[in-house]
Structures are given as C-alpha cells and as structure tokens.
Amino acid sequence: MESFTFHDLGRIVYADALKVQTEAFETLLHAKVWGGQGENKLFFCEHEPVLTIGKSGKDANLLIPAELLKQRGISFFHTNRGGDITYHGPGQITGYPVFDLEHWQLGLKQYIHTLEEVIIRFLSLYGIKGERLEGATGVWIDPLVKGRARKICAIGVKSSRYVTMHGFALNINTDLSYFSLINPCGFTDKGVTSLEKELGAQQDFEKAKSQLHSLFSELFP
C-alpha cells in the first residue's frame, strides 16, 4: 500500500490546481497540529500556459509587459513557493506532493534532494544523464559545460511544520518558446530543454506520468 494517494488532475488551469493543493495542504497541516493522521497526496497535472513567480523572485525576470501576457492567453501568478519565475504549460508534467515529511523522517533539504533523485532516475530510463547543479535547485543536463547547461525540471516548494506544497515541473513535450518570455528561474546564462528536444521526437506523455508515479512510490515508500 502506498504511503500517499495519487491524483491525476489532467489539464487544468493554474488557479484551480492551486485551490486543490492548498485545500489538501491545509487539511494535512490541520490534522498534524491536532495530533491526527492526515493523508499524504501526490497531484500530477498539465497546466494551461501560465507563468508563476516565487516569493523570492524578481519581476524583472519577466521580459515582456504583463498586459501582453493576457493578449497571448498566458496567466501570471505570484505564489508562495520558493524559487524565481518559471513557465507551466501543455506537455509538461507539473507535480504537487502534499506530504508530511516527518512520515519519511525527512528534512526540507533532504526532501528536495529526493525530488531531484526521482527526476534523475526518470531521465535515466530514457538514457539521459540528469544532474544537480550546486546552488541551483532542479535537474539539469550538462550543468558544468559552458554554454550547454540546460534545465529540464524546475523545483520550488513551500513547507510549514514539515508539510509541503508546490513541487516540480518536468518538461516532456513542452513548447520551449514560452521560456523566451522570462529569465527562467532567474538565470540569464543557462537554457531549458525537454525530453522531446533531447530525444528528437515527441514522447508518450501518459507513459511518462506512469513511470514518474512509480518512482515516487519507490522513493517515498
């Protein structure tokens, strides 16, 4: 039996997904505060085009006027997660683990390391070497190669009393042109990539979700 319940929200606008995970977060936190047994939940979804900026992010990393985003049908949200600005959209697996880390006896740093490990193991299934980059949360390809470093997965979380929300955004068949509207995660000297771009062909999105779910079950038993 899994230590969390899995929920695939499908294609969903950001505001609706935020509401779902916030309710799960508050319910789990409330149960913990009152000594009850809450439910760990893992949400996967695929967003309509949206830019989100974390609490430590800088608006200057949005490279076009906010009113132009509306014209292009792109939503824009300031959020309470860590990290700077990033893009979510179709073809990207966005994951929101609402976990009580004490269930796994994890600190926040270990948790983020484990999230990165899930993605690194996922990429290895496709023959891709995902790596960490010191001081830059997420998963990268060729992180130390000048002019070649590119991020395939962004990570940004919020936690309270070791209960987490927000999570990761993994580019599978993502339209990477949207990233030209921002300095992704605040970087100006590093690129972004997707599984599709790395492998030169569109990938089976449902298969990728299933593989990722299985890896979460392995690393969060």
Side-chain angles (χ1 to χ4, degrees):
M1 186 175 165
E2 288 187 330
S3 53
F4 57 84
T5 58
F6 175 68
H7 307 266
D8 187 347
L9 303 178
R11 182 80 67 87
I12 186 171
V13 297
Y14 184 79
D16 290 349
L18 183 62
K19 184 180 178 191
V20 169
Q21 64 157 325
T22 299
E23 286 175 357
F25 173 80
E26 289 175 350
T27 300
L28 183 53
L29 193 57
H30 185 265
K32 185 173 186 177
V33 167
W34 290 95
Q37 186 63 47
E39 188 179 4
N40 295 302
K41 296 183 177 183
L42 173 63
F43 299 99
F44 281 1
C45 63
E46 191 183 3
H47 284 309
E48 299 296 346
V50 59
L51 297 174
T52 69
I53 189 163
K55 58 189 177 184
S56 58
K58 297 179 176 65
D59 283 357
N61 286 319
L62 173 63
L63 303 179
I64 68 168
E67 55 268 21
L68 286 183
L69 292 179
K70 201 170 280 189
Q71 291 175 22
R72 292 186 59 169
I74 305 168
S75 303
F76 182 54
F77 283 84
H78 283 83
T79 75
N80 57 4
R81 62 166 170 77
D84 208 295
I85 194 168
T86 196
Y87 165 75
H88 301 306
Q92 182 189 74
I93 300 173
T94 306
Y96 299 126
V98 179
F99 286 175
D100 179 358
L101 299 184
E102 289 190 322
H103 178 88
W104 293 276
Q105 298 181 312
L106 289 173
L108 189 60
K109 194 172 180 182
Q110 292 169 292
Y111 168 63
I112 289 172
H113 192 275
T114 308
L115 282 185
E116 290 169 339
E117 186 62 27
V118 168
I119 306 302
I120 287 168
R121 292 191 190 186
F122 169 81
L123 293 173
S124 73
L125 299 175
Y126 293 84
I128 294 171
K129 186 181 181 185
E131 298 180 73
R132 296 177 180 87
L133 178 60
E134 189 69 36
T137 306
V139 178
W140 300 77
I141 299 172
D142 295 331
L144 300 179
V145 181
K146 193 171 182 182
R148 291 276 296 158
R150 54 210 186 273
K151 182 178 266 191
I152 194 164
C153 181
I155 292 175
V157 303
K158 166 188 164 68
S159 74
S160 178
R161 293 177 181 256
Y162 294 100
V163 175
T164 68
M165 64 180 286
H166 300 292
F168 69 91
L170 174 62
N171 295 325
I172 306 295
N173 300 317
T174 316
D175 180 350
L176 299 175
S177 68
Y178 284 94
F179 287 97
S180 67
L181 306 177
I182 60 175
N183 291 323
C185 302
F187 289 102
T188 57
D189 60 341
K190 295 175 176 64
V192 290
T193 191
S194 66
L195 200 58
E196 177 184 23
K197 185 175 181 182
E198 295 299 317
L199 299 177
Q202 195 169 80
Q203 300 300 303
D204 185 328
F205 196 72
E206 294 304 316
K207 178 183 174 186
K209 282 196 289 190
S210 177
Q211 290 169 321
L212 212 52
H213 176 199
S214 294
L215 285 164
F216 263 94
S217 299
E218 281 179 33
L219 285 161
F220 292 93

